Amino acid sequence: MFLEILLVIILLRAVEPQRTDFAYNGFSDSNLILGDIAIVTHDGLLRLTNSTPTQKGRAFYTAPLHFKNSYSNTTFSFSTTFVSAIVPEVPNFNGHGLAFVISPSSELPGGLPAQLLGLFNPNNNGNSTNHIFAVEQDTAQSTEFKDIDNNHVGIDINGLVSIKSAPAAYFADGRWNNFSLSSGHPIQTWIEYNGVFKQLTVTVAPIKVPRPQRPLLSAAVDLASVLLDPMYVGFSSSTGQLRASHYILGWSFNMNGQARALDISSLPALPRVTPKPKPRILIIGLPLIAGFITLAAVSAAIISVRRKIKYSEVLEDWEREYGPHRFRYKDLFRATKGFKDKELLGIGGFGRVYRGRLLSSKIEVAVKKVSHDSKQGMKEFISEIVSLGRMRHRNLVGLLGYCRRKGELLLVYEYMPNSSLDKFLFDDKFTLNWNQRLTIVKGVAAGLLYLHEEWEQIVLHRDVKASNVLLDSDLNGKLGDFGLARLYDHGAAPKTTHVVGTIGYLAPELTRTSKATTSTDVFAFGVFMLEVATGRRPVQYPGTSCSGEELVLRDWVFNCWKRGSILEASDPKLGRDYVMDEMELVLKLGLVCSYAAAGYRPRMRQIIQILEGRAPITELVASRGLESSEVDERSTIYYNSSADNVFGHTSSATESLLSDGQ
């Protein structure tokens, strides 16, 4: 009888729910498992990532937890709450977010940064073998993961396509109140899972708001097939090119019970991002320290004069002849309101671009700040910039002039209110119909013809691409950004220089000769035409293309042509709302212009004649042996091998540039 009673007690203990209960009001003595760039700061903050680009950080509880009843194979209930903060490096330019994670490993093997949040990679994202549950606070919209916006909370199972998501908001006073996840202020999150009813709820709110009675997300989820036993609980976050610091201030967790409330008053403070308020003693005792303030003011004035001299603009004797093409730094500083972040139009490979209004003329301009070494070839470079400033064409963005400071060059352009073409091609918030796209292609072609044949010198743009085509108020395309342009006299041979440009637009011969020509501009224009017609980038890397493999746009369109179905390459966003003959013409002409052998590419004058219907493309195709069913396979192989040379040893960013040192 005693043995039977003992056996019953042992069995009852075996099926009794396991309890794991911990709470951290700060992490100074937490002994968490930290990975990648995650650290615990000296004041007790858990900092997952900092402002370092393209990094990831992770932190997990010290030991794995048992989430399952080993006899019934059911999942225990659990509850957790934590306080987090996302502080972007540049306000209003959101980076990527963070996630609460339950994982079979504290290593998160293969997890990549940026939009993958350090959790997955393109090869395993969505695989049921991951056994990962996460609640994401996502501050960057990724169309490949079907994100609803750039400020949402989502429930993720084994991948980053959320099974349910909603914009960040809390319910109070009878309505939903939206708030920003990346405001830089603390946010509290509550996650609760009922293992009996298989119900999951997620609630979020700013830290100063009492816990809302209604959760933001509620979903019926059976985690029995997702969670293994045991599992690790913790956090993961990542940064991309737009950077942010991710913090956890406090964390509480309870298995088979309600997570303990955090002591908000005991949580560590975030690093100060605004100046400290002036002490009251300075206000009360101001009359007593007037003499000291006067002395300080004089000292500050002396320091200010010295700083003004130290950071004054560079002006050498040879620049005085350039007159109106030379802007004063003080005028550009005032025009851009001191180069404030709210005037920032964008960040590119060569610098930041700011919107400004010249106070003297009230003209709106775009000011690009570029780093430079004034000791190497600056006189020749500025001479070319000023020469380019004399060009006038309706399809070229006007380069108005420049300004130089120590270690910094500022290029001043005509302002384009509708930004760049790539925004309209690749952002789902914007769209262009076929007539608008064809008009833009013809306009850019006219601009290139002017550069190559109609101006007083031959100008090689060297960086023709969608992001360098800007749109005016009427959506007319203008070719801009002449920072890489080079010019030479008609009849002279172009000089050999370093390879520059953007990956995906570089002609194959550039990797061998390093010599830019009008033909290399034509190659880039051909890729640009394919980009406009298909709505695809020149190179799509693994994880971003439909096939999950690296896809070179020119190859893909070429294969469609070989199969006799070239119109399959048209942009799906257009549907069938385009003129088939025109679409076929642009696609074929794009392939001809981006032909591997430079000698087979047409000149810009021929291209315009074909686009305007004054010359048939059939003669051009036939003269080069490019019948769709009889294409020269050797040239295709040559193109691919050259493309491998260009793309094989670069970073994964499509817009990465190969600099020539300017």
Side-chain angles (χ1 to χ4, degrees):
M1 183 66 178
F2 174 76
L3 292 176
E4 292 177 352
I5 295 173
L6 181 62
L7 179 61
V8 170
I9 293 174
I10 293 174
L11 290 174
L12 288 175
R13 283 185 170 274
V15 299
E16 180 182 359
Q18 303 296 311
R19 294 183 66 87
T20 299
D21 180 16
F22 61 82
Y24 297 113
N25 293 292
F27 297 90
S28 294
D29 301 317
S30 60
N31 196 29
L32 297 176
I33 302 173
L34 303 179
D36 298 307
I37 64 171
I39 64 168
V40 174
T41 65
H42 67 279
D43 49 3
L45 283 167
L46 171 56
R47 190 182 71 195
L48 297 171
T49 57
N50 54 28
S51 59
T52 306
T54 320
Q55 292 291 331
K56 53 194 174 81
R58 50 188 164 81
F60 286 91
Y61 183 60
T62 53
L65 308 181
H66 293 281
F67 277 83
K68 285 191 173 182
N69 186 320
S70 58
Y71 286 86
S72 63
N73 199 35
T74 57
T75 303
F76 293 139
S77 300
F78 63 85
S79 170
T80 187
T81 182
F82 59 90
V83 175
S84 59
I86 302 175
V87 185
E89 182 184 35
V90 179
N92 301 320
F93 281 80
N94 295 345
H96 300 280
L98 59 84
F100 169 78
V101 187
I102 302 179
S103 167
S105 168
S106 62
E107 298 293 330
L108 294 176
L112 296 180
Q115 70 268 30
L116 292 160
L117 299 182
L119 296 174
F120 307 103
N121 59 61
N123 295 323
N124 68 5
N125 183 44
N127 292 349
S128 59
T129 56
N130 291 331
H131 295 287
I132 288 180
F133 165 80
V135 175
E136 66 177 29
Q137 295 180 0
D138 199 348
T139 54
Q141 185 175 18
S142 300
T143 55
E144 65 264 39
F145 303 139
K146 302 179 182 179
D147 288 347
I148 56 175
D149 60 19
N150 63 350
N151 187 62
H152 64 272
V153 178
I155 300 171
D156 299 340
I157 294 180
N158 294 324
L160 288 170
V161 178
S162 301
I163 64 170
K164 195 166 187 179
S165 62
Y170 64 92
F171 191 83
D173 300 326
R175 63 187 179 89
W176 289 100
N177 302 272
N178 295 323
F179 67 96
S180 172
L181 295 171
S182 57
S183 65
H185 301 297
I187 296 167
Q188 187 160 8
T189 303
W190 296 265
I191 303 171
E192 295 177 335
Y193 179 70
N194 188 312
V196 176
F197 297 102
K198 311 295 189 294
Q199 190 71 22
L200 177 73
T201 61
V202 181
T203 308
V204 293
I207 195 172
K208 295 182 180 179
V209 176
R211 178 175 180 175
Q213 295 301 310
R214 183 181 299 183
L216 175 65
L217 295 174
S218 181
V221 180
D222 187 358
L223 295 180
S225 63
V226 179
L227 302 184
L228 304 176
D229 200 43
M231 300 284 280
Y232 287 87
V233 294
F235 303 90
S236 179
S237 73
S238 64
T239 61
Q241 292 304 311
L242 294 178
R243 305 181 288 275
S245 296
H246 300 82
Y247 297 95
I248 306 295
L249 288 72
W251 179 25
S252 173
F253 184 93
N254 196 343
M255 188 81 76
N256 292 306
Q258 184 67 38
R260 281 182 278 169
L262 295 172
D263 184 359
I264 302 301
S265 63
S266 299
L267 299 181
L270 290 169
R272 182 175 294 275
V273 294
T274 56
K276 294 183 179 180
K278 295 181 179 179
R280 291 177 58 84
I281 190 172
L282 293 181
I283 301 175
I284 298 173
L286 187 59
L288 301 178
I289 56 175
F292 173 78
I293 292 178
T294 302
L295 179 62
V298 173
S299 300
I302 295 173
I303 294 173
S304 177
V305 171
R306 287 180 176 177
R307 286 178 60 86
K308 186 174 182 180
I309 295 173
K310 180 179 179 181
Y311 296 107
S312 61
E313 56 190 273
V314 178
L315 180 61
E316 299 183 30
D317 292 338
W318 53 265
E319 294 183 76
R320 301 185 185 279
E321 62 184 276
Y322 293 141
H325 294 286
R326 181 68 159 76
F327 285 84
R328 295 192 305 171
Y329 179 77
K330 179 171 64 176
D331 294 337
L332 298 181
F333 187 88
R334 292 175 177 175
T336 58
K337 300 177 182 178
F339 296 101
K340 297 292 185 183
D341 288 334
K342 66 179 181 179
E343 301 300 323
L344 186 65
L345 293 174
I347 303 174
F350 283 94
R352 299 188 172 205
V353 183
Y354 296 85
R355 177 180 178 175
R357 180 186 291 271
L358 298 175
L359 299 182
S360 58
S361 61
K362 306 302 181 184
I363 295 176
E364 286 191 302
V365 294
V367 182
K368 185 171 188 177
K369 299 180 73 173
V370 184
S371 298
H372 78 82
D373 182 356
S374 61
K375 297 179 181 179
Q376 299 294 330
M378 183 49 57
K379 182 174 181 179
E380 292 76 10
F381 183 70
I382 293 298
S383 177
E384 291 190 353
I385 290 293
V386 172
S387 295
L388 293 170
R390 298 199 306 270
M391 295 187 307
R392 294 293 181 268
H393 191 276
R394 65 182 180 279
N395 294 113
L396 298 179
V397 177
L399 178 56
L400 305 179
Y402 77 100
C403 174
R404 269 205 310 148
R405 298 182 76 207
K406 187 174 182 179
E408 193 172 54
L409 175 68
L410 296 91
L411 302 179
V412 184
Y413 292 92
E414 174 188 2
Y415 174 69
M416 292 287 106
N418 277 313
S419 188
S420 62
L421 173 60
D422 63 340
K423 178 180 73 174
F424 285 83
L425 292 178
F426 306 117
D427 191 331
D428 291 336
K429 297 179 182 178
F430 305 94
T431 187
L432 290 172
N433 61 40
W434 174 245
N435 287 334
Q436 290 169 325
R437 297 190 193 202
L438 186 58
T439 299
I440 291 170
V441 168
K442 291 179 178 179
V444 174
L448 276 174
L449 175 63
Y450 176 81
L451 295 178
H452 289 181
E453 300 183 24
E454 296 178 348
W455 196 52
E456 61 190 50
Q457 289 181 287
I458 297 175
V459 179
L460 306 178
H461 188 277
R462 302 203 300 171
D463 203 18
V464 179
K465 59 181 178 179
S467 59
N468 280 343
V469 174
L470 306 182
L471 305 181
D472 64 16
S473 56
D474 296 322
L475 296 178
N476 294 311
K478 294 191 176 187
L479 185 58
D481 199 341
F482 292 91
L484 296 180
R486 288 293 179 268
L487 46 84
Y488 59 96
D489 294 332
H490 288 279
K495 298 178 181 179
T496 300
T497 182
H498 297 293
V499 176
V500 297
T502 302
I503 291 175
Y505 302 86
L506 296 175
E509 66 269 17
L510 276 174
T511 61
R512 295 179 291 103
T513 66
S514 300
K515 183 181 295 185
T517 65
T518 55
S519 184
T520 58
D521 272 359
V522 169
F523 181 94
F525 178 73
V527 177
F528 164 75
M529 282 196 289
L530 298 179
E531 191 176 12
V532 172
T534 65
R536 292 173 178 262
R537 298 191 183 276
V539 181
Q540 291 181 275
Y541 293 92
T544 62
S545 66
C546 298
S547 63
E549 300 177 352
E550 181 176 278
L551 184 148
V552 177
L553 177 59
R554 197 269 184 190
D555 290 352
W556 178 70
V557 177
F558 174 73
N559 287 332
C560 290
W561 187 11
K562 284 180 63 178
R563 295 196 310 268
S565 54
I566 195 169
L567 291 180
E568 288 183 5
S570 61
D571 191 345
K573 289 194 294 186
L574 293 173
R576 290 296 179 184
D577 190 14
Y578 59 82
V579 180
M580 289 190 291
D581 290 344
E582 293 176 347
M583 174 65 76
E584 184 175 349
L585 173 69
V586 171
L587 289 170
K588 288 184 177 180
L589 188 55
L591 288 175
V592 172
C593 290
S594 59
Y595 199 64
Y600 285 123
R601 298 173 203 148
R603 302 175 69 86
M604 288 310 304
R605 190 171 298 279
Q606 291 175 278
I607 295 170
I608 289 179
Q609 289 172 348
I610 293 172
L611 287 172
E612 293 179 348
R614 293 185 284 116
I617 191 175
T618 53
E619 294 181 5
L620 184 63
V621 171
S623 67
R624 286 153 173 77
L626 292 172
E627 302 294 350
S628 60
S629 61
E630 301 175 359
V631 180
D632 185 351
E633 299 291 348
R634 291 174 300 173
S635 296
T636 306
I637 294 170
Y638 168 72
Y639 174 87
N640 289 332
S641 63
S642 299
D644 291 340
N645 290 335
V646 176
F647 304 133
H649 305 285
T650 61
S651 68
S652 62
T654 303
E655 296 299 325
S656 297
L657 299 177
L658 303 174
S659 174
D660 65 344
Q662 296 295 341

